Amino acid sequence: MTGPSGVGIGWRPEIAGFVAGLPGLRFVEVVAEAVTPTGPLPEGLAELRERGVTVVPHGVRLSLGGAEPVDPHRVAHLAGVATALAAPLVSEHIAFVRAGGLEAGHLLPLPRSREAVAAVVANVRRAQAELPAPLALEPIAALFDWPDDELDEADFLTEILDATGALLLLDVANVHANARNRGDDPAALLDRLPLERVAYVHVAGGAEAGGFYHDTHTDPVPAEVLDLVRVLCDRRRPPALLLERDGHYPPADELRGELDALAAASGYPVVT
C-alpha cells in the first residue's frame, strides 16, 4: 500500500456514504480507537480498502507526552489496527491525555522543555518498536503556553523528530490557531520546520470565541487557513493534505466545496 497522496478526508461513520462517493479519493484517515483490530472493519472502510484507498490510522490516546511510559495495550491496539488496515503510516499527537491514572479526555499541550523532549522521545521509541509502519507526529493547537518553556515550537519539534526519526503530521489549522492566539507569524514557523519530513497535512475549520481562535473541526475552513496552505505549498508541497471534520457535518455540496478549495490551494487534482 502506498503512502498518503493528493487530497483526502477524515473517514467518520456519519459521512461514510459521502466519502464512498468521492470518485478520485486516494486516501483517508480513521481514528484508530474507533477500529477493532481483531474484528471486521467498520462498514464502508473495508470497501474503501478494497478500492485501493490508503487508510491511515490516527491515534488519540497514546499520551506520547506523558511522564509515564506509554500503555503497552494501547500501543498494541494501534499496531493491530495498522496491520488490519495494511497501513503504510500511523499517526499520533505530541500531547498528553492522562497523568497519575486520570484520563483528561482531551489532548493537552506539553511544556516545551528538555525534560518534555526526553519524555516524548522515550515514548515515541517505545511505540515505534511495536508499530508495523512509520510513525508521524502531530503538534496540537493550544490556548496557552507553559511558563517553564525552554524551547520555541520549531526547536521543540525538530529535536523530537531528529531524536526519533519520526515523520511530521503538520496541521496547518493548528499552526494558524497557535499563531493567531500568540500573536505570531505562522509563515515564520513554517520557515523553521523540517518540511521535508512532512508525511501529510491536516486542514480543518475553527471559530473565534472569547478572544481566541478555537480549532473546532466543526466549522468551515477559513480563508486564512487556505492561504496558509498556499504559503506552505510555495515552500514545499507536502505529499498529501487531509480535510478534517468531526461534527456539525454540512450538506454534501458544502463538503465537496471544501475539498475542491483544498485541491485548488494545493494544486492537487480534485477528488469530487
Side-chain angles (χ1 to χ4, degrees):
M1 182 63 67
T2 60
S5 61
V7 173
I9 189 169
W11 187 90
R12 303 291 185 268
E14 297 88 345
I15 56 171
F18 170 81
V19 174
L22 295 172
L25 189 66
R26 297 174 64 185
F27 93 102
V28 299
E29 178 191 81
V30 63
V31 176
E33 287 77 8
V35 178
T36 303
T38 56
L41 294 176
E43 187 176 353
L45 205 56
E47 287 80 358
L48 290 176
R49 284 282 298 106
E50 291 168 5
R51 276 172 47 188
V53 174
T54 297
V55 183
V56 175
H58 184 55
V60 297
R61 296 187 63 201
L62 280 193
S63 198
L64 291 172
E68 303 117 344
V70 285
D71 182 338
H73 297 291
R74 297 188 186 194
V75 176
H77 181 277
L78 183 56
V81 171
T83 298
L85 294 170
L89 184 73
V90 177
S91 58
E92 244 287 1
H93 301 84
I94 299 176
F96 72 99
V97 300
R98 68 182 182 279
L102 298 176
E103 294 284 336
H106 297 280
L107 297 165
L108 299 174
L110 304 178
R112 294 192 299 270
S113 65
R114 300 204 178 276
E115 185 177 12
V117 169
V120 174
V121 167
N123 276 329
V124 167
R125 287 173 175 167
R126 292 181 182 107
Q128 287 172 320
E130 305 300 326
L131 292 172
L135 176 63
L137 301 175
E138 178 185 2
I140 67 169
L143 293 175
F144 65 90
D145 291 317
W146 292 91
D148 48 352
D149 284 348
E150 298 171 346
L151 302 165
D152 65 20
E153 188 164 10
D155 287 338
F156 182 69
L157 296 176
T158 300
E159 287 199 14
I160 291 169
L161 297 177
D162 285 348
T164 61
L167 298 169
L168 176 61
L169 167 49
L170 181 62
D171 191 315
V172 171
N174 289 350
V175 172
H176 169 71
N178 290 341
R180 160 68 179 79
N181 293 330
R182 293 171 182 158
D184 294 339
D185 177 8
L189 175 62
L190 296 182
D191 285 335
R192 296 186 54 222
L193 291 177
L195 298 181
E196 73 280 0
R197 304 281 284 277
V198 173
Y200 65 109
V201 165
H202 276 173
V203 181
E208 298 273 351
F212 291 94
Y213 180 86
H214 297 264
D215 179 48
T216 63
H217 293 195
T218 58
D219 291 280
V221 177
E224 295 85 353
V225 171
L226 288 174
D227 287 343
L228 198 55
V229 169
R230 296 183 186 94
V231 171
L232 170 64
C233 291
D234 284 345
R235 283 156 171 75
R236 187 184 184 100
R237 188 168 70 162
L241 302 97
L242 180 128
L243 177 67
E244 285 189 293
R245 188 80 181 216
D246 293 326
H248 294 174
Y249 298 104
D253 284 348
E254 291 183 28
L255 268 182
R256 288 191 192 94
E258 292 210 311
L259 287 167
D260 289 347
L262 184 52
S266 63
Y268 280 116
V270 297
V271 299
T272 57

